[in-house]
Amino acid sequence: MNTLAFEGRIIFLSEDPDVVTRQLDGADISVEEARPLRNDISTDEITPIPVLVHYDRELGRHAHVGFETGGKQPIGTDSLLNGGFSVIVGGNRYGKGSSREHSPQAELYAGVKLIIAESFERLYRQNCDNLGLFTSTDFGLIDRIRAGEDIPVEDLVAGREPLAASILRAGGLLGFGRAIAKGARPALSDPDSMAGPKTLAEKIVARHAVVADELEWDLSPGTAGFVRPDWRYFHDIFSAQCAHMLHEFYGPDLELYKPDSIRSFEDHYSYAHRPEVNAKRDRMPDIRRMAKGHRAFWQKYGLKDHGYLTGEEGSEGISHAIMTEMYALPGQLLAGTDSHTPHNGALGCLSYGVGSTDMANSLMTGMNRITMPESVRVELKGTIPPGVMAKDIVLEVLADSFTKTGGGIGRVYEYGGPAVSQLPVDERTTLTNMTAEMGGLTGIFAPDEQTVRFLKERRGIDFKLEPWMTSDAGAAYVHTIEIDCSSLSPMLASPGDPGNGVRVRDLTEKVAVNIAYGGSCTAGKREDFDGYHEVLQWAAEKGLKVPADVKLYLQFGTIAVRDYCRDKGYIDAFEKVGAEILQPACGACAGCGPGLSQDAETVTVSAINRNFPGRSGPGKVWLASPVTVAASAIAGEIVSFEDLKQRFH
């Protein structure tokens, strides 16, 4: 394939919903008529959670059904497919949010060959490459396509790093990966021989990097290659999709690479039978089909699976949380099929999210694609005040202008500074987990005594830190964000984007809440439940309860967290104030359980990680820390714990 022909139409995703509707009705317009283009189009909008039960060509019918602009959702089922579009044009940070490869796959199956945007989110663009879907920031292509020109592939890959260009020329990752797998070998015989001071992330990549005759790699920042992770893991939204890809490409019987280093999780849909999940339509037939595909895959190949609890709702736990509790170690490299895979970076490992094709390739070859990342240093100074949690810190980082303007896309957020020693590992995972919302590759903490203590207490491991497990003095950072933790107070992110940071004390109007939700991989850990309990035990002692018109849900991240809460006696306080307690699962965060809103007017205060349009239902979602969520549930409006105590002193 030397050139690409575009017989179809071009659709511009405008901020004006009427402009989008006109195009769906048959009008062809110019980019000038379409401006301003919608920025920050998230994968939650391209393929909302209910769409993720599909993993084959059915996806093409549902591309962009969650796209929202001007308060409307103009793109319906089959709209793009029937509209005959071969090119989509959007604004900045196209494809932000979840790592779900369903999004570019839906666009591809809808007939789209090229996405043009001002800028792209790293993982979305990588998923497009892996599928053979072209992406470009060259708006000059629009007039050429409109003129009927066949575009040379070299023009479509112009400016891309060599690996991405090679994958696209090969038609996708599976074919490229199979071609180089047999000749893959370690890139460095002595990773410590790399010249110059290095960041911890660079050192970990160097220890896992591989090269092949067809692909040399000098490991310099910004260049791309492959690594062999210590752990690869996937969950139920991606497994059937991976199996579909692999069996279609390789045939019905597979020989997986080192299956003992693969973990499978069924963590999303264990509450999907609840009425609120099926309020608009019965999702269960599609979910059961997907679950059947998931279980068939891990059972056929004898993989270790963490699945549903026997005889009750819930699962063993959320994938990232279990990987941190049971498997990941400092200095290791992990790849998982979820944007929140960076969670594990709190232990001092490099852990990053990949799409289905990347995981499918890795299951067969043991190799995952990566770009040697540059790092952003987040310097945490001062003393963290009482009532301030890691969630407040990460919302401050997300509100920073560097992060909000996309400065961290594809980069590592390395946390350091004097305040780090005050953060237990559970709290650190909140910061690394939400690197996904920053557009970063991953987040990381250099392992220290907190790490050693965590591994001893949780796993009985006497871990010995090695001298190389820290960034070198003089290591290069593209930017430094300094946070004076002493000046922090409880933070929020207003509905629409996790970067919409505002302090609770700066709210100018009362924000009444209908739902308060505490859970998810970000906020279902032991330290989080310590925070919920601190507030709710105080409320119980005061005789306070959650108001009748508010629902408070508390959902454990893993069964280990559930058992911890039972052993500590937390459940009594939770029940006394009227909380509904849920067994481990991704739940409302992923649109899969109690805590979902049912209409646009519902207001939720939530400890989850993202509040893009459509996340956790059609209502408005405010992000907050576990302490603030619990306090707001008791007050019936968004307040800090200090505010709540002053009201009932």
Side-chain angles (χ1 to χ4, degrees):
M1 178 178 64
N2 296 318
T3 62
L4 198 64
F6 296 91
E7 299 87 1
R9 301 167 58 210
I10 299 174
I11 184 168
F12 300 95
L13 298 181
S14 171
E15 284 189 4
D16 186 340
D18 294 333
V19 170
V20 177
T21 299
R22 282 173 50 208
Q23 295 174 87
L24 295 174
D25 289 341
D28 289 324
I29 67 173
S30 68
V31 66
E32 289 76 20
E33 292 176 271
R35 292 189 187 277
L37 298 168
R38 245 297 308 272
N39 294 324
D40 301 314
I41 296 170
S42 74
T43 53
D44 285 84
E45 297 174 81
I46 300 172
T47 47
I49 285 286
V51 174
L52 303 190
V53 294
H54 305 297
Y55 52 85
D56 48 24
R57 291 196 172 271
E58 175 72 14
L59 280 166
R61 301 185 58 218
H62 306 281
H64 284 268
V65 294
F67 173 78
E68 183 175 316
T69 190
K72 299 180 180 179
Q73 292 182 321
I75 302 176
T77 302
D78 293 320
S79 290
L80 291 187
L81 186 66
N82 293 341
F85 299 103
S86 60
V87 181
I88 295 175
V89 182
N92 281 304
R93 294 194 72 179
Y94 191 103
K96 70 187 296 185
S98 169
S99 66
R100 62 190 71 163
E101 192 166 328
H102 301 70
S103 295
Q105 193 170 37
E107 292 168 323
L108 187 69
Y109 286 165
V112 174
K113 298 180 179 180
L114 171 66
I115 313 288
I116 300 173
E118 301 285 357
S119 65
F120 292 93
E121 205 76 356
R122 175 200 69 85
L123 193 45
Y124 168 83
R125 197 174 201 189
Q126 183 167 308
N127 287 339
C128 288
D129 299 342
N130 294 341
L131 288 166
L133 175 60
F134 288 90
T135 59
S136 178
T137 57
D138 180 6
F139 275 63
L141 292 170
I142 295 170
D143 288 339
R144 295 171 64 186
I145 292 169
R146 279 267 168 85
E149 180 181 344
D150 289 355
I151 306 298
V153 168
E154 292 309 308
D155 288 2
L156 295 172
V157 300
R160 300 300 307 278
E161 46 87 8
L163 179 58
S166 296
I167 290 170
L168 285 163
R169 292 188 195 103
L173 180 62
L174 290 181
F176 185 82
R178 182 169 66 177
I180 69 169
K182 287 186 178 179
R185 59 189 183 275
L188 298 173
S189 58
D190 179 12
D192 292 322
S193 66
M194 296 176 69
K198 301 298 176 188
T199 64
L200 177 57
E202 290 174 314
K203 293 179 184 182
I204 295 174
V205 172
R207 281 165 165 76
H208 295 82
V210 295
V211 294
D213 291 340
E214 302 89 338
L215 183 71
E216 294 300 324
W217 187 21
D218 67 4
L219 303 182
S220 58
T223 61
F226 288 92
V227 288
R228 288 203 191 277
D230 298 284
W231 294 103
R232 294 156 289 157
Y233 67 97
F234 55 81
H235 58 64
D236 45 350
I237 286 181
F238 290 92
S239 43
Q241 189 180 28
C242 286
H244 173 75
M245 290 176 174
L246 287 174
H247 292 143
E248 195 171 66
F249 187 84
Y250 282 96
D253 296 305
L254 309 173
E255 186 174 337
L256 302 185
Y257 181 88
K258 292 187 177 179
D260 287 349
S261 65
I262 300 168
R263 290 293 178 268
S264 164
F265 294 89
E266 194 166 6
D267 57 5
H268 274 66
Y269 289 105
S270 61
Y271 277 91
H273 60 281
R274 288 286 193 101
E276 50 266 75
V277 182
N278 300 282
K280 295 183 179 179
R281 67 177 181 87
D282 184 5
R283 296 174 58 192
M284 290 311 298
D286 288 332
I287 289 172
R288 291 190 186 101
R289 174 175 176 256
M290 187 183 66
K292 182 178 179 181
H294 167 82
R295 293 168 190 171
F297 186 58
W298 72 257
Q299 288 170 357
K300 179 174 182 177
Y301 297 106
L303 303 177
K304 170 64 178 175
D305 180 71
H306 293 275
Y308 287 3
L309 299 177
T310 302
E312 58 182 324
E313 294 175 313
S315 65
E316 291 181 49
I318 302 170
S319 59
H320 323 299
I322 289 181
M323 290 303 297
T324 298
E325 287 181 352
M326 297 180 63
Y327 298 112
L329 289 171
Q332 290 187 335
L333 192 145
L334 295 82
T337 57
D338 195 289
S339 58
H340 293 113
T341 302
H343 187 101
N344 305 290
L347 287 177
C349 50
L350 193 143
S351 186
Y352 69 108
V354 301
S356 298
T357 307
D358 202 348
M359 181 55 67
N361 175 66
S362 181
L363 292 175
M364 294 300 293
T365 68
M367 300 188 301
N368 284 97
R369 178 183 168 189
I370 197 171
T371 297
M372 179 61 90
E374 299 173 308
S375 290
V376 177
R377 176 76 173 184
V378 182
E379 193 76 11
L380 302 178
K381 300 180 176 180
T383 301
I384 301 172
V388 169
M389 300 189 71
K391 186 62 165 285
D392 302 304
I393 299 173
V394 79
L395 291 178
E396 189 81 21
V397 177
L398 279 156
D400 182 85
S401 60
F402 175 82
T403 301
K404 287 193 71 171
T405 56
I409 292 177
R411 289 166 167 161
V412 173
Y413 276 74
E414 178 188 294
Y415 292 91
V420 162
S421 63
Q422 302 164 49
L423 293 169
V425 168
D426 273 357
E427 284 282 78
R428 294 179 185 186
T429 62
T430 300
L431 290 158
T432 55
N433 179 294
M434 290 186 64
T435 306
E437 283 63 52
M438 301 168 196
L441 173 72
T442 193
I444 197 166
F445 285 79
D448 58 12
E449 291 308 311
Q450 289 275 23
T451 319
V452 173
R453 185 180 304 113
F454 177 92
L455 293 171
K456 180 66 174 178
E457 292 176 353
R458 304 290 175 93
R459 297 194 222 163
I461 295 174
D462 292 312
F463 190 85
K464 303 296 184 185
L465 298 176
E466 298 180 33
W468 70 268
M469 293 178 176
T470 186
S471 293
D472 296 329
Y477 298 95
V478 295
H479 185 74
T480 298
I481 299 172
E482 294 189 357
I483 304 290
D484 178 8
C485 294
S486 302
S487 68
L488 296 182
S489 63
M491 284 284 292
L492 305 163
S494 62
D497 195 282
N500 295 337
V502 59
R503 299 197 177 193
V504 175
R505 69 187 184 199
D506 292 335
L507 288 177
T508 56
E509 296 181 357
K510 172 182 174 179
V511 180
V513 299
N514 309 107
I515 298 171
Y517 178 83
S520 79
C521 54
T522 316
K525 308 176 299 294
R526 295 187 189 189
E527 293 284 340
D528 302 314
F529 273 85
D530 290 343
Y532 301 129
H533 180 260
E534 180 185 5
V535 177
L536 300 179
Q537 177 63 35
W538 174 89
E541 291 172 355
K542 294 282 186 181
L544 302 175
K545 291 181 177 290
V546 177
D549 58 350
V550 177
K551 287 289 294 183
L552 169 61
Y553 300 95
L554 297 176
Q555 187 157 29
F556 308 113
T558 67
I559 53 175
V561 175
R562 178 198 66 188
D563 294 346
Y564 168 81
C565 290
R566 288 177 176 174
D567 292 344
K568 297 279 283 187
Y570 287 178
I571 307 300
D572 180 60
F574 298 159
E575 292 177 340
K576 280 183 178 177
V577 301
E580 181 173 345
I581 302 167
L582 302 170
Q583 297 300 320
C586 293
C589 179
C592 304
L596 283 174
S597 61
Q598 298 300 314
D599 55 62
E601 287 69 45
T602 298
V603 176
T604 300
V605 59
S606 180
I608 64 174
N609 35 43
R610 54 178 55 138
N611 59 348
F612 299 129
R615 192 76 177 186
S616 296
K620 299 175 178 63
V621 178
W622 291 75
L623 300 183
S625 75
V627 167
T628 300
V629 166
S632 301
I634 297 297
E637 63 180 283
I638 294 179
V639 297
S640 69
F641 187 25
E642 287 304 311
D643 292 337
L644 183 69
K645 287 189 286 189
Q646 289 177 14
R647 293 186 184 189
F648 296 97
H649 65 275

